Protein backbone atom coordinates (compact mmCIF):
# COMPACT_ATOMS: atom_id res chain seq x y z
CA UNK A 1 0.00 0.00 0.00
CA UNK A 2 1.35 3.41 -0.99
CA UNK A 3 0.97 6.03 1.74
CA UNK A 4 0.54 9.77 1.17
CA UNK A 5 3.12 12.23 2.47
CA UNK A 6 2.88 14.70 5.33
CA UNK A 7 5.58 17.35 4.97
CA UNK A 8 7.08 19.43 7.77
CA UNK A 9 8.18 23.04 7.66
CA UNK A 10 11.91 23.79 7.57
CA UNK A 11 13.70 22.77 10.81
CA UNK A 12 10.49 21.35 12.33
CA UNK A 13 12.04 17.90 12.42
CA UNK A 14 14.62 18.73 15.12
CA UNK A 15 12.47 17.65 18.08
CA UNK A 16 11.47 14.41 16.30
CA UNK A 17 15.05 13.57 15.39
CA UNK A 18 15.98 14.16 19.03
CA UNK A 19 13.54 11.44 20.10
CA UNK A 20 10.05 12.97 20.34
CA UNK A 21 7.12 11.24 18.64
CA UNK A 22 4.54 14.00 18.19
CA UNK A 23 3.90 16.42 15.33
CA UNK A 24 2.01 19.64 16.06
CA UNK A 25 -0.28 21.14 13.43
CA UNK A 26 1.74 24.38 13.25
CA UNK A 27 4.80 22.36 12.22
CA UNK A 28 3.17 21.02 9.04
CA UNK A 29 3.75 22.63 5.65
CA UNK A 30 0.03 22.85 4.87
CA UNK A 31 0.70 24.49 1.50
CA UNK A 32 2.48 21.35 0.33
CA UNK A 33 0.40 18.79 2.27
CA UNK A 34 -2.90 20.23 3.59
CA UNK A 35 -4.15 18.50 6.72
CA UNK A 36 -7.66 18.78 5.30
CA UNK A 37 -6.75 16.03 2.81
CA UNK A 38 -6.39 13.49 5.63
CA UNK A 39 -9.01 11.66 7.63
CA UNK A 40 -8.70 10.83 11.32
CA UNK A 41 -6.85 7.54 11.57
CA UNK A 42 -5.02 7.75 8.27
CA UNK A 43 -1.35 6.84 8.07
CA UNK A 44 1.24 8.85 6.15
CA UNK A 45 4.95 9.07 5.48
CA UNK A 46 6.33 12.01 7.45
CA UNK A 47 8.84 14.05 5.48
CA UNK A 48 11.32 16.77 6.24
CA UNK A 49 10.97 20.01 4.27
CA UNK A 50 13.43 18.63 1.70
CA UNK A 51 11.37 15.49 1.17
CA UNK A 52 13.57 13.13 3.20
CA UNK A 53 11.37 10.60 5.04
CA UNK A 54 11.36 10.49 8.84
CA UNK A 55 8.97 7.58 9.32
CA UNK A 56 5.29 6.68 9.36
CA UNK A 57 2.75 8.66 11.38
CA UNK A 58 -0.85 8.20 12.49
CA UNK A 59 -2.91 11.27 11.59
CA UNK A 60 -5.38 13.23 13.74
CA UNK A 61 -5.98 16.21 11.41
CA UNK A 62 -8.32 18.14 13.74
CA UNK A 63 -6.03 18.02 16.79
CA UNK A 64 -3.15 20.21 17.92
CA UNK A 65 -1.08 17.01 18.03
CA UNK A 66 -1.95 16.19 14.44
CA UNK A 67 0.33 13.18 13.98
CA UNK A 68 2.17 10.61 16.09
CA UNK A 69 5.16 8.62 14.93
CA UNK A 70 4.41 4.91 14.61
CA UNK A 71 7.65 3.77 13.02
CA UNK A 72 10.89 5.39 11.95
CA UNK A 73 11.17 2.79 9.19
CA UNK A 74 8.84 3.60 6.28
CA UNK A 75 8.61 -0.12 5.45
CA UNK A 76 6.65 -0.77 8.66
CA UNK A 77 3.22 0.79 8.80
CA UNK A 78 0.71 -0.07 11.52
CA UNK A 79 -0.77 -3.46 10.68
CA UNK A 80 -1.16 -6.82 12.39
CA UNK A 81 2.50 -7.70 11.87
CA UNK A 82 3.76 -4.53 13.56
CA UNK A 83 1.21 -4.91 16.37
CA UNK A 84 2.37 -8.50 17.04
CA UNK A 85 5.99 -7.35 17.14
CA UNK A 86 5.36 -4.39 19.46
CA UNK A 87 3.15 -6.41 21.82
CA UNK A 88 5.83 -9.10 22.02
CA UNK A 89 8.45 -6.47 22.89
CA UNK A 90 6.15 -5.00 25.54
CA UNK A 91 5.40 -8.44 26.96
CA UNK A 92 9.09 -9.33 27.26
CA UNK A 93 9.61 -6.37 29.62
CA UNK A 94 6.63 -7.22 31.83
CA UNK A 95 7.61 -10.87 32.06
CA UNK A 96 11.08 -9.81 33.25
CA UNK A 97 9.52 -7.59 35.90
CA UNK A 98 6.70 -9.68 37.33
CA UNK A 99 6.35 -13.37 38.10
CA UNK A 100 2.55 -13.28 37.73
CA UNK A 101 0.49 -11.97 34.77
CA UNK A 102 -0.99 -8.88 36.40
CA UNK A 103 0.32 -5.63 34.92
CA UNK A 104 -0.06 -2.91 32.33
CA UNK A 105 0.91 -4.74 29.16
CA UNK A 106 0.92 -1.73 26.80
CA UNK A 107 1.44 1.90 27.78
CA UNK A 108 0.85 4.03 24.69
CA UNK A 109 3.70 6.11 23.29
CA UNK A 110 6.24 4.56 25.66
CA UNK A 111 5.65 1.18 24.03
CA UNK A 112 5.54 2.79 20.56
CA UNK A 113 1.81 2.11 20.31
CA UNK A 114 0.30 5.60 20.58
CA UNK A 115 -3.30 5.76 21.71
CA UNK A 116 -3.31 2.22 23.12
CA UNK A 117 -3.47 0.98 26.71
CA UNK A 118 -3.80 -2.70 27.62
CA UNK A 119 -4.06 -3.98 31.20
CA UNK A 120 -3.64 -7.68 31.89
CA UNK A 121 -5.57 -9.56 34.56
CA UNK A 122 -4.26 -13.09 34.14
CA UNK A 123 -6.31 -14.62 31.32
CA UNK A 124 -8.24 -11.40 30.65
CA UNK A 125 -7.22 -8.21 28.87
CA UNK A 126 -8.84 -4.78 29.15
CA UNK A 127 -8.09 -2.51 26.20
CA UNK A 128 -8.47 1.26 25.82
CA UNK A 129 -8.02 2.92 22.43
CA UNK A 130 -7.78 6.71 22.32
CA UNK A 131 -6.79 7.15 18.67
CA UNK A 132 -8.70 6.76 15.43
CA UNK A 133 -5.78 4.83 13.93
CA UNK A 134 -5.98 2.18 16.65
CA UNK A 135 -9.76 2.09 16.29
CA UNK A 136 -9.40 1.53 12.53
CA UNK A 137 -7.08 -1.41 13.24
CA UNK A 138 -9.19 -2.82 16.06
CA UNK A 139 -9.56 -6.22 14.39
CA UNK A 140 -5.82 -6.46 13.74
CA UNK A 141 -5.20 -5.52 17.36
CA UNK A 142 -7.53 -8.20 18.71
CA UNK A 143 -5.94 -10.79 16.43
CA UNK A 144 -2.46 -9.72 17.56
CA UNK A 145 -3.38 -9.90 21.26
CA UNK A 146 -4.95 -13.33 20.80
CA UNK A 147 -1.84 -14.55 18.96
CA UNK A 148 0.64 -13.23 21.54
CA UNK A 149 -1.23 -13.59 24.87
CA UNK A 150 -3.85 -16.29 24.11
CA UNK A 151 -6.35 -14.75 26.55
CA UNK A 152 -9.71 -16.15 27.60
CA UNK A 153 -11.35 -12.79 26.99
CA UNK A 154 -10.70 -9.24 25.76
CA UNK A 155 -12.79 -6.28 26.89
CA UNK A 156 -12.76 -3.00 24.95
CA UNK A 157 -13.24 -0.31 27.62
CA UNK A 158 -13.51 2.57 25.17
CA UNK A 159 -15.51 4.99 27.29
CA UNK A 160 -12.92 7.69 28.04
CA UNK A 161 -13.21 11.39 27.18
CA UNK A 162 -9.94 11.12 25.23
CA UNK A 163 -11.91 9.54 22.38
CA UNK A 164 -14.02 12.68 21.91
CA UNK A 165 -11.10 14.64 20.44
CA UNK A 166 -10.72 11.95 17.76
CA UNK A 167 -14.43 11.98 16.94
CA UNK A 168 -14.77 8.42 18.21
CA UNK A 169 -17.87 7.03 19.94
CA UNK A 170 -17.63 5.80 23.51
CA UNK A 171 -18.53 2.18 24.17
CA UNK A 172 -17.75 -0.89 26.29
CA UNK A 173 -17.78 -4.22 24.48
CA UNK A 174 -16.41 -7.75 24.73
CA UNK A 175 -14.24 -8.22 21.64
CA UNK A 176 -13.14 -11.79 22.30
CA UNK A 177 -14.43 -14.49 24.61
CA UNK A 178 -16.36 -13.52 27.73
CA UNK A 179 -14.97 -11.17 30.37
CA UNK A 180 -16.63 -11.35 33.81
CA UNK A 181 -17.78 -8.27 35.70
CA UNK A 182 -15.06 -8.78 38.33
CA UNK A 183 -11.64 -10.19 37.48
CA UNK A 184 -8.95 -11.47 39.83
CA UNK A 185 -5.48 -10.00 40.24
CA UNK A 186 -2.65 -10.06 42.74
CA UNK A 187 -0.45 -7.17 43.80
CA UNK A 188 2.38 -7.25 46.34
CA UNK A 189 1.15 -10.64 47.51
CA UNK A 190 -2.37 -9.33 48.19
CA UNK A 191 -5.42 -10.65 46.30
CA UNK A 192 -7.99 -8.42 44.66
CA UNK A 193 -10.96 -8.50 42.35
CA UNK A 194 -11.51 -5.49 40.07
CA UNK A 195 -14.79 -4.40 38.40
CA UNK A 196 -13.51 -4.08 34.85
CA UNK A 197 -16.92 -3.52 33.26
CA UNK A 198 -18.26 -0.78 35.51
CA UNK A 199 -15.19 0.40 37.45
CA UNK A 200 -12.90 3.36 36.83
CA UNK A 201 -10.64 3.31 33.75
CA UNK A 202 -9.65 -0.34 33.16
CA UNK A 203 -10.98 -1.36 36.58
CA UNK A 204 -7.64 -1.18 38.45
CA UNK A 205 -4.67 1.15 38.82
CA UNK A 206 -1.42 -0.80 38.43
CA UNK A 207 0.58 2.45 38.32
CA UNK A 208 0.91 2.75 42.14
CA UNK A 209 2.02 -0.87 42.70
CA UNK A 210 5.52 0.02 43.92
CA UNK A 211 4.26 2.90 46.06
CA UNK A 212 1.69 0.67 47.77
CA UNK A 213 4.45 -1.85 48.49
CA UNK A 214 6.28 0.93 50.35
CA UNK A 215 3.42 1.11 52.87
CA UNK A 216 4.48 -2.09 54.60
CA UNK A 217 6.99 -0.78 57.19
CA UNK A 218 4.83 2.22 58.09
CA UNK A 219 1.48 0.54 58.83
CA UNK A 220 2.22 -2.42 61.12
CA UNK A 221 0.06 -2.08 64.22
CA UNK A 222 -1.13 1.36 63.08
CA UNK A 223 -4.49 3.03 62.42
CA UNK A 224 -4.76 3.92 58.73
CA UNK A 225 -7.05 6.26 56.76
CA UNK A 226 -7.35 5.67 53.00
CA UNK A 227 -8.86 8.67 51.18
CA UNK A 228 -10.40 8.23 47.71
CA UNK A 229 -9.96 4.54 48.42
CA UNK A 230 -11.65 3.16 45.28
CA UNK A 231 -11.73 -0.66 45.80
CA UNK A 232 -9.02 -0.72 48.46
CA UNK A 233 -5.74 -0.79 46.56
CA UNK A 234 -4.01 1.05 49.39
CA UNK A 235 -6.32 0.27 52.30
CA UNK A 236 -6.66 -3.48 51.88
CA UNK A 237 -2.91 -3.79 51.35
CA UNK A 238 -2.31 -1.77 54.52
CA UNK A 239 -4.53 -4.21 56.43
CA UNK A 240 -2.74 -7.18 54.84
CA UNK A 241 0.61 -5.60 55.80
CA UNK A 242 -0.41 -5.60 59.47
CA UNK A 243 -2.36 -2.39 60.15
CA UNK A 244 -4.54 -2.66 63.24
CA UNK A 245 -7.44 -0.73 61.71
CA UNK A 246 -8.17 0.80 58.29
CA UNK A 247 -10.88 3.28 57.33
CA UNK A 248 -11.63 3.70 53.60
CA UNK A 249 -13.44 6.79 52.34
CA UNK A 250 -14.91 7.05 48.85
CA UNK A 251 -17.93 8.60 47.14
CA UNK A 252 -18.83 5.43 45.26
CA UNK A 253 -20.94 2.63 46.74
CA UNK A 254 -19.59 0.26 44.06
CA UNK A 255 -16.02 1.10 45.09
CA UNK A 256 -16.72 0.43 48.77
CA UNK A 257 -18.45 -2.84 47.87
CA UNK A 258 -15.11 -3.65 46.27
CA UNK A 259 -13.26 -2.75 49.46
CA UNK A 260 -15.42 -5.16 51.45
CA UNK A 261 -15.08 -7.86 48.80
CA UNK A 262 -11.27 -7.51 48.68
CA UNK A 263 -10.93 -7.32 52.45
CA UNK A 264 -12.82 -10.62 52.76
CA UNK A 265 -10.58 -12.18 50.08
CA UNK A 266 -7.56 -11.50 52.29
CA UNK A 267 -9.13 -12.31 55.65
CA UNK A 268 -8.89 -8.73 56.95
CA UNK A 269 -12.57 -7.73 56.90
CA UNK A 270 -12.57 -7.31 60.71
CA UNK A 271 -9.99 -4.53 60.39
CA UNK A 272 -11.86 -2.51 57.75
CA UNK A 273 -14.42 0.27 58.03
CA UNK A 274 -15.96 2.08 55.03
CA UNK A 275 -17.33 5.62 54.82
CA UNK A 276 -19.33 6.54 51.73
CA UNK A 277 -19.49 10.22 50.81
CA UNK A 278 -17.60 13.32 49.77
CA UNK A 279 -14.01 13.01 50.99
CA UNK A 280 -13.67 16.66 51.99
CA UNK A 281 -16.90 16.49 54.03
CA UNK A 282 -15.73 13.26 55.63
CA UNK A 283 -12.46 14.93 56.63
CA UNK A 284 -14.39 17.72 58.36
CA UNK A 285 -16.56 15.21 60.22
CA UNK A 286 -13.56 13.15 61.32
CA UNK A 287 -11.86 16.32 62.60
CA UNK A 288 -15.01 17.36 64.49
CA UNK A 289 -15.14 13.88 66.06
CA UNK A 290 -11.48 14.30 67.12
CA UNK A 291 -10.43 11.15 65.25
CA UNK A 292 -6.72 10.51 64.82
CA UNK A 293 -4.77 8.25 62.46
CA UNK A 294 -1.16 7.09 62.41
CA UNK A 295 -0.97 6.81 58.62
CA UNK A 296 -3.08 8.62 56.01
CA UNK A 297 -3.04 7.93 52.27
CA UNK A 298 -4.35 10.73 50.05
CA UNK A 299 -4.51 9.46 46.47
CA UNK A 300 -7.19 11.57 44.75
CA UNK A 301 -8.32 11.57 41.13
CA UNK A 302 -6.59 14.12 38.91
CA UNK A 303 -7.52 17.57 40.22
CA UNK A 304 -5.68 19.12 37.26
CA UNK A 305 -6.86 17.57 34.00
CA UNK A 306 -5.93 20.57 31.83
CA UNK A 307 -3.43 23.37 32.22
CA UNK A 308 -6.23 25.86 32.77
CA UNK A 309 -7.25 23.88 35.88
CA UNK A 310 -3.82 24.45 37.47
CA UNK A 311 -4.73 27.15 40.02
CA UNK A 312 -7.93 25.51 41.26
CA UNK A 313 -6.28 22.08 41.22
CA UNK A 314 -3.31 23.19 43.32
CA UNK A 315 -5.75 24.71 45.81
CA UNK A 316 -7.62 21.37 46.00
CA UNK A 317 -4.38 19.45 46.65
CA UNK A 318 -3.54 21.91 49.43
CA UNK A 319 -7.01 21.62 51.01
CA UNK A 320 -6.80 17.82 50.91
CA UNK A 321 -3.30 17.50 52.34
CA UNK A 322 -3.80 20.14 55.01
CA UNK A 323 -7.03 18.48 56.16
CA UNK A 324 -5.23 15.13 56.25
CA UNK A 325 -2.38 16.55 58.32
CA UNK A 326 -4.91 17.81 60.88
CA UNK A 327 -6.03 14.22 61.46
CA UNK A 328 -2.57 12.72 61.96
CA UNK A 329 -1.27 11.60 65.31
CA UNK A 330 1.74 13.47 66.75
CA UNK A 331 4.23 11.35 64.83
CA UNK A 332 2.17 10.56 61.75
CA UNK A 333 2.87 9.42 58.21
CA UNK A 334 1.19 11.04 55.21
CA UNK A 335 1.38 9.42 51.78
CA UNK A 336 0.42 12.16 49.34
CA UNK A 337 -0.10 11.06 45.75
CA UNK A 338 -1.05 12.77 42.51
CA UNK A 339 -1.90 11.44 39.06
CA UNK A 340 -2.15 14.95 37.58
CA UNK A 341 0.28 15.11 34.69
CA UNK A 342 0.31 18.94 34.92
CA UNK A 343 1.45 18.96 38.57
CA UNK A 344 5.24 18.48 38.79
CA UNK A 345 6.58 16.58 41.78
CA UNK A 346 8.37 19.67 43.08
CA UNK A 347 5.05 21.55 43.11
CA UNK A 348 3.39 18.78 45.14
CA UNK A 349 6.35 18.90 47.53
CA UNK A 350 5.92 22.67 47.90
CA UNK A 351 2.19 22.21 48.57
CA UNK A 352 3.04 19.76 51.37
CA UNK A 353 5.63 22.12 52.83
CA UNK A 354 3.29 25.12 52.81
CA UNK A 355 0.48 23.02 54.31
CA UNK A 356 2.75 21.83 57.12
CA UNK A 357 3.99 25.38 57.80
CA UNK A 358 0.43 26.71 57.88
CA UNK A 359 -0.33 24.18 60.63
CA UNK A 360 3.01 24.88 62.36
CA UNK A 361 4.20 21.32 61.74
CA UNK A 362 7.64 19.98 60.88
CA UNK A 363 7.69 17.81 57.74
CA UNK A 364 10.26 15.21 56.74
CA UNK A 365 10.18 13.81 53.21
CA UNK A 366 11.01 10.10 53.57
CA UNK A 367 10.40 8.53 50.18
CA UNK A 368 9.59 9.56 46.63
CA UNK A 369 7.73 7.22 44.31
CA UNK A 370 6.65 7.24 40.69
CA UNK A 371 4.76 4.90 38.41
CA UNK A 372 5.85 1.28 38.17
CA UNK A 373 8.09 0.06 35.35
CA UNK A 374 5.11 -1.42 33.51
CA UNK A 375 4.31 2.28 32.87
CA UNK A 376 7.69 3.15 31.33
CA UNK A 377 8.44 6.84 30.84
CA UNK A 378 9.42 8.06 27.38
CA UNK A 379 12.23 10.51 28.23
CA UNK A 380 11.30 12.86 25.38
CA UNK A 381 7.61 12.98 26.34
CA UNK A 382 7.12 14.33 29.85
CA UNK A 383 3.38 13.57 29.60
CA UNK A 384 4.20 9.86 29.99
CA UNK A 385 5.40 10.56 33.55
CA UNK A 386 2.36 11.41 35.64
CA UNK A 387 2.40 9.51 38.96
CA UNK A 388 3.88 11.13 42.08
CA UNK A 389 3.87 9.66 45.57
CA UNK A 390 5.55 11.39 48.50
CA UNK A 391 5.79 9.65 51.88
CA UNK A 392 6.18 12.22 54.65
CA UNK A 393 6.55 12.27 58.40
CA UNK A 394 4.58 15.05 60.09
CA UNK A 395 5.74 16.17 63.55
CA UNK A 396 4.87 18.93 66.00
CA UNK A 397 7.16 21.91 65.37
Amino acid sequence: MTLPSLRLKANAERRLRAGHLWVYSNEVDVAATPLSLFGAGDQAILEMSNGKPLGIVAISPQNLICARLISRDIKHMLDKSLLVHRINVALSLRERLFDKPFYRLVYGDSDLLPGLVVDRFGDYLVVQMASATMEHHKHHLIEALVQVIKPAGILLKNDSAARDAEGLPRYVDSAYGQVPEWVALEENGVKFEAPVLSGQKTGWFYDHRMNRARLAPYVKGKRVLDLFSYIGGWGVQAAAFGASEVMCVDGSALALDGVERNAALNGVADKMACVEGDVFEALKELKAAEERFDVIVADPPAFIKRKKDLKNGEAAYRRLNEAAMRLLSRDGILVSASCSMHLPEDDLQNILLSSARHLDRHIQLLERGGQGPDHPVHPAIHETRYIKSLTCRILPN
Side-chain angles (χ1 to χ4, degrees), residues 78-148:
L78 186 70
D79 57 13
K80 181 186 172 184
S81 176
L82 186 67
L83 285 162
V84 167
H85 172 67
R86 293 272 163 84
I87 292 166
N88 269 314
V89 173
L91 177 64
S92 68
L93 171 66
R94 280 69 179 182
E95 288 186 333
R96 286 175 68 182
L97 296 169
F98 307 113
D99 60 358
K100 294 186 179 178
F102 308 112
Y103 40 69
R104 175 147 293 182
L105 173 63
V106 175
Y107 178 48
D109 290 291
S110 294
D111 284 307
L112 298 178
L113 289 169
L116 178 65
V117 163
V118 182
D119 277 355
R120 185 175 187 182
F121 301 91
D123 291 331
Y124 300 102
L125 302 176
V126 180
V127 176
Q128 290 187 311
M129 293 178 286
S131 83
T133 305
M134 284 295 169
E135 184 73 26
H136 288 180
H137 289 271
K138 175 168 62 179
H139 300 300
H140 285 152
L141 173 62
I142 300 307
E143 289 173 4
L145 288 168
V146 170
Q147 179 176 323
V148 176

Side-chain angles (χ1 to χ4, degrees), residues 2 24 61 70 75 109 142 147 149 152 154 211 264 269 278 289 311 321 323 347:
T2 303
Y24 293 95
I70 292 170
K75 296 193 294 290
D109 290 291
I142 300 307
Q147 179 176 323
I149 305 298
I154 300 174
N211 302 322
D278 178 83
K311 187 175 180 181
N321 285 286
D347 290 0

